[in-house]
Amino acid sequence: MTSKHPSESLTILTDLVLPSETNPLNNLFGGELLARMDRAASIAARRHSRRIVVTASVNHVAFNRAIPLGSVVTVEAKVSRAFKSSMEIFIDIWVEDRESGNKTKANEAIYTFVAVDDTGRPVEVPQIVPETDLEKQRYEAALRRKQLSLVIAGKMNPHDATELKALFI
């Protein structure tokens, strides 16, 4: 199976924040943003694997900045690391200033998707070869995040989490 670069999975969704998508403070509902991120991440995972993909987990979401009504929001998603059948997708959320057009990072998230066959059984996915410094950082950190999730879920013995132990030794 041929390895791929994160840029091959890059997915960009741009949309407006409409009144029906806002809370009483006229900011985008968190759930609406989660749905947008899930759609972008699923497209990125499918581009990488060329398979049916399902959301396995939402590992991290940071709502650092409110996104007001009328804002132009851009969701950028790409695979940061591939394991056997799972893929970590890193998502950056940008808000465009209405007057200047400048984009500011508002939020970020990390999702995990699993590639499956037509019967829903996990299938192998291509590995990732990061190119940029940011892609390399996210790639390396993905293994630590996976090990931490497995340890917390009781699916990995903490003594076997070599990447996590390396942080403390």
Side-chain angles (χ1 to χ4, degrees):
M1 190 172 289
T2 305
S3 297
K4 294 185 175 182
H5 301 290
S7 58
E8 295 177 71
S9 67
L10 177 63
T11 300
I12 301 172
L13 300 178
T14 302
D15 205 355
L16 288 170
V17 176
L18 302 173
S20 64
E21 301 166 331
T22 61
N23 62 25
L25 297 174
N26 285 323
N27 292 318
L28 183 66
F29 278 122
E32 174 62 31
L33 183 57
L34 288 169
R36 292 179 187 197
M37 292 187 291
D38 194 52
R39 282 191 295 274
S42 69
I43 293 168
R46 186 164 184 138
R47 284 180 173 165
H48 178 74
S49 66
R50 292 295 168 202
R51 299 298 230 152
I52 297 168
V53 295
V54 294
T55 309
S57 64
V58 177
N59 306 342
H60 167 77
V61 177
F63 294 109
N64 297 320
R65 181 173 166 205
I67 302 175
L69 174 66
S71 295
V72 173
V73 179
T74 301
V75 178
E76 294 183 2
K78 64 179 163 179
V79 176
S80 51
R81 187 156 185 165
F83 296 95
K84 185 174 180 178
S85 61
S86 67
M87 297 157 280
E88 181 188 88
I89 316 300
F90 208 101
I91 306 159
D92 295 303
I93 312 303
W94 303 89
V95 176
E96 188 175 319
D97 183 81
R98 291 179 216 157
E99 294 178 16
S100 70
N102 292 333
K103 290 183 180 180
T104 304
K105 187 170 177 181
N107 303 295
E108 66 182 22
I110 302 170
Y111 282 46
T112 299
F113 277 76
V114 173
V116 297
D117 63 17
D118 292 336
T119 65
R121 293 179 187 250
V123 295
E124 195 172 334
V125 298
Q127 293 301 301
I128 283 286
V129 178
E131 296 176 294
T132 70
D133 287 341
L134 181 59
E135 289 171 355
K136 290 173 185 174
Q137 290 170 3
R138 289 178 174 177
Y139 177 89
E140 293 299 325
L143 183 54
R144 291 189 295 273
R145 286 189 287 270
K146 180 174 182 160
Q147 287 185 353
L148 180 59
S149 293
L150 292 171
V151 168
I152 290 170
K155 295 179 180 178
M156 177 182 249
N157 184 318
H159 296 289
D160 296 330
T162 56
E163 292 298 313
L164 293 177
K165 287 186 346 187
L167 291 174
F168 301 103
I169 296 175

